[in-house]
Amino acid sequence: MKKKLSAAVLAGVMVFSMAGCSGGNGASGAAGDTDINAEDTGPDEEETEIQVFIAASLNTVMTDLAEKYNEEHPNVKITYNADSSGTLLTQIQEGYECDIFFSAAQKQMDDLEADGLMVEGTRANVVNNQVVVVTLKDSGTAVTGLEDIGSAESIALAGGSVPVGKYTRQALVNLGMLPKTDDVAAITTEEVSEALGGAEISEQDNVSKVLTAVVEGSCEVGTTYYSDTYGYEDDLEILETVSYDLTGNVIYPIARVINEEADDAQTAAAEDFLKFVLSDEAREVFDSYYFDTNVE
């Protein structure tokens, strides 16, 4: 039997349905005609709920997409569990109920597939992203980017198991600031600090917490995703947009997860919502939130 999320896990969960959401969040994103809702649409659908595990950096855009989806599917409740991709994968492996997994890196999706937990033929790459070095506007930092990030008094950095933390480590390796290794995710925060001359690093367990540490001023700089700066344009300064040459592509894959507890209505809703996320309408929304949808 699949396990439901515990109270501790529920702290990162968001639930969406027309009954539970009042209006949008003011985000832009043009809505176009689409045929993804060609059958079993609208209020005649059977009431059901789907569990969607999403990388923390997808919080804002997926909130918007859930609201748009519920305009046509008011009887489908979408429950998001948002956290680092590594944490989400562990929860799925431990048997927590999940219908769709939307990861911020290929590694976690590869592991899901290797474990036989993915519905075959449902995996797709959705968006690309970029790592950015950020600080508060008017912070007066001397940091200009990754190459001199060690001069900051404090740095917010995700752990190596978190995709943005892994991509940051990969960039530092490619810059020659960290030694080459077969698994950059295994580079500890202490090792990064030592390589940066003993810089004070505040390790965070997901990308949203990195952003919060910088926005609240507890850390001078941090590395997050370009998409996470959406809505913070008046607060943050992007010191560097790190090139794909340094990080590699930051591809976000999505797939349905095998859920033996799901009935026909839940399975159908999961299939349909996945199609919606891959639609042209959703692509326009991703673009508006600073994601790169030019992926294969």
Side-chain angles (χ1 to χ4, degrees):
M1 177 179 293
K2 293 278 187 179
K3 294 184 283 186
K4 292 289 187 180
L5 293 168
S6 67
V9 174
L10 281 169
V13 169
M14 301 173 291
V15 181
F16 298 91
S17 68
M18 287 304 290
C21 293
S22 56
N25 60 4
S28 61
D33 293 334
T34 178
D35 61 0
I36 62 168
N37 302 322
E39 49 185 309
D40 297 329
T41 62
D44 292 334
E45 284 179 323
E46 183 178 345
E47 289 190 4
T48 190
E49 178 181 359
I50 60 173
Q51 309 288 329
V52 184
F53 284 28
I54 60 171
S57 53
L58 292 164
N59 257 339
T60 308
V61 66
M62 292 301 285
T63 298
D64 196 349
L65 287 175
E67 292 171 353
K68 291 181 184 301
Y69 185 78
N70 280 147
E71 291 173 4
E72 298 293 332
H73 300 268
N75 289 335
V76 177
K77 180 186 291 185
I78 301 168
T79 300
Y80 286 144
N81 177 23
D83 211 320
S84 76
S85 299
T87 297
L88 298 175
L89 174 65
T90 298
Q91 290 170 357
I92 295 170
Q93 292 169 328
E94 291 176 347
Y96 288 96
E97 184 175 356
C98 176
D99 296 293
I100 295 172
F101 180 36
F102 197 170
S103 171
Q106 299 285 12
K107 181 185 184 301
Q108 287 76 21
M109 196 64 73
D110 290 343
D111 291 346
L112 184 81
E113 188 168 15
D115 289 344
L117 298 172
M118 181 190 298
V119 176
E120 186 177 351
T122 64
R123 180 173 179 170
N125 293 332
V126 185
V127 294
N128 207 342
N129 212 341
Q130 280 190 283
V131 174
V132 292
V133 182
V134 295
T135 188
L136 276 177
K137 284 192 175 178
D138 302 321
S139 69
T141 183
V143 174
T144 60
L146 281 182
E147 292 193 56
D148 59 359
I149 196 170
S151 64
E153 290 188 2
S154 56
I155 303 167
L157 177 68
S161 65
V162 181
V164 73
K166 179 180 178 181
Y167 291 126
T168 300
R169 286 163 171 78
Q170 184 64 65
L172 292 171
V173 168
N174 288 335
L175 285 168
M177 299 169 67
L178 286 173
K180 290 186 178 180
T181 178
D182 291 335
D183 183 12
V184 296
I187 300 173
T188 67
T189 298
E190 290 74 17
E191 290 171 328
V192 177
S193 174
E194 183 178 348
L196 297 179
E200 179 185 331
I201 297 178
S202 175
E203 181 177 319
Q204 306 297 327
D205 57 19
N206 66 51
V207 69
S208 297
K209 292 181 179 179
V210 172
L211 184 73
T212 298
V214 177
V215 170
E216 292 182 349
S218 58
C219 288
E220 183 178 333
V221 299
T223 61
T224 184
Y225 292 124
Y226 179 42
S227 64
D228 283 290
T229 67
Y230 180 91
Y232 292 95
E233 294 86 354
D234 293 337
D235 303 306
L236 293 176
E237 178 184 354
I238 296 175
L239 300 171
E240 179 186 8
T241 301
V242 184
S243 74
Y244 292 135
D245 290 340
L246 294 176
T247 61
N249 284 320
V250 186
I251 300 292
Y252 286 52
I254 194 171
R256 284 184 52 226
V257 178
I258 294 173
N259 183 0
E260 296 175 352
E261 302 294 319
D263 59 18
D264 290 345
Q266 186 173 342
T267 298
E271 291 175 351
D272 195 62
F273 185 65
L274 178 58
K275 279 201 276 185
F276 175 71
V277 172
L278 298 174
S279 71
D280 289 341
E281 179 180 351
R283 185 175 296 113
E284 293 182 4
V285 178
F286 281 116
D287 283 333
S288 73
Y289 282 93
Y290 306 158
F291 287 94
D292 178 6
T293 57
N294 186 25
V295 297
E296 297 181 358

